[in-house]
């Protein structure tokens, strides 16, 4: 059975929103993120973040100054992408598929089907509402988070009011030169 990993950047005070204002990646972190994506064959996106990420990564493949970022962009642009939405979404990124979900029951059923399909693991790469849905419905097997060394004081906290208690086992960690710490839990 495939596993689902939540993959995100987060501040030291637990915020996951407005990442364009604070996220910072080194080439080493980008290479490690690319290596992480070698372990999956599908990426899940929420509909709110899909279009901006599609635009960013499609452009980054050509225009980024970082060879590591161009390599990652090429990889993510070629991967199978699933967009979760209650409504229609214009699919502007190659290899994208809409998973239209009417309610929580449909969400749980769709994720159970994905987990039971043959293939590598699945990563959930955006956004706050999507990650919260996976957490709230206990539809995840691990977390890969890049903790950024700053306190922003406001924004959307990922783990506030989650109605579950989940013990985690640390399976990997790495600290980058810019102070970002990658923590991997199952």
């Amino acid at each position: 059975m495939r596993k689902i990993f939540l993959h995100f950047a987060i501040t030291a005070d637990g915020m996951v929103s407005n990442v364009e204002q604070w996220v910072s990646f080194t080439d080493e972190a980008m290479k490690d993120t690319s290596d992480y994506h070698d372990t999956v064959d599908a990426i899940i996106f929420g509909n709110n973040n899909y279009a901006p990420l599609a635009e960013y990564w499609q452009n980054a493949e050509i225009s980024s100054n970082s060879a590591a970022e161009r390599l990652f962009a090429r990889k993510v642009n070629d991967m199978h992408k699933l967009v979760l939405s209650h409504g229609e979404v214009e699919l502007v990124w190659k290899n994208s598929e809409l998973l239209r979900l009417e309610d929580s029951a449909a969400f749980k059923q769709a994720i159970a089907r994905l987990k039971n399909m043959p293939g590598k693991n699945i990563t959930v790469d955006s956004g706050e509402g999507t990650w919260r849905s996976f957490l709230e419905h206990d539809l995840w097997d691990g977390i890969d988070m890049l903790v950024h060394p700053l306190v922003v004081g406001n924004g959307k906290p990922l783990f506030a009011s989650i109605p579950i208690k989940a013990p985690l086992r640390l399976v990997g960690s790495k600290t980058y030169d810019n102070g970002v710490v990658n923590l991997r839990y199952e």
Side-chain angles (χ1 to χ4, degrees):
M1 178 181 284
R2 299 162 90 184
K3 292 183 178 182
I4 293 181
F5 291 91
L6 308 181
H7 178 73
F8 52 85
I10 190 167
T11 61
D13 59 343
M15 303 301 165
V16 292
S17 59
N18 305 315
V19 295
E20 68 282 353
Q21 297 173 13
W22 52 263
V23 76
S24 170
F25 285 109
T26 63
D27 280 352
E28 181 182 17
M30 188 57 63
K31 184 191 176 313
D32 289 348
T33 298
S34 185
D35 291 346
Y36 161 79
H37 279 77
D38 286 338
T39 68
V40 303
D41 62 7
I43 306 172
I44 294 176
F45 295 98
N47 67 323
N48 292 333
N49 295 44
Y50 170 76
L53 287 169
E55 180 180 359
Y56 181 84
W57 289 114
Q58 289 175 100
N59 290 330
E61 184 174 352
I62 300 161
S63 64
S64 176
N65 292 328
S66 163
E69 186 174 56
R70 287 192 308 276
L71 176 68
F72 175 72
R74 192 168 23 263
K75 182 177 295 185
V76 76
N77 288 335
D78 288 339
M79 288 184 79
H80 183 213
K81 292 167 276 296
L82 301 157
V83 185
L84 301 181
S85 180
H86 296 291
E88 291 300 316
V89 174
E90 183 181 359
L91 299 176
V92 297
W93 205 352
K94 71 178 176 181
N95 302 319
S96 293
E97 174 185 351
L98 176 62
L99 281 182
R100 191 165 176 183
L101 308 171
E102 300 298 323
D103 55 27
S104 292
F107 172 64
K108 291 179 199 176
Q109 290 171 356
I111 300 308
R113 275 193 309 274
L114 285 172
K115 288 185 75 162
N116 285 313
M117 294 174 79
K120 293 181 179 179
N121 293 329
I122 302 164
T123 185
V124 182
D125 278 13
S126 82
E128 180 263 337
T130 304
W131 294 315
R132 285 184 66 78
S133 292
F134 277 87
L135 289 165
E136 288 169 357
H137 295 345
D138 197 22
L139 295 171
W140 57 283
D141 300 289
I143 293 173
D144 185 79
M145 67 176 149
L146 293 148
V147 182
H148 290 254
L150 70 151
V151 173
V152 293
N154 59 30
K156 294 181 181 177
L158 182 57
F159 298 108
S161 304
I162 298 291
I164 62 165
K165 181 178 182 180
L168 302 173
R169 179 175 54 89
L170 183 67
V171 295
S173 66
K174 185 172 185 177
T175 303
Y176 299 102
D177 290 341
N178 62 353
V180 171
V181 178
N182 188 355
L183 299 171
R184 289 181 207 91
Y185 293 102
E186 288 187 9

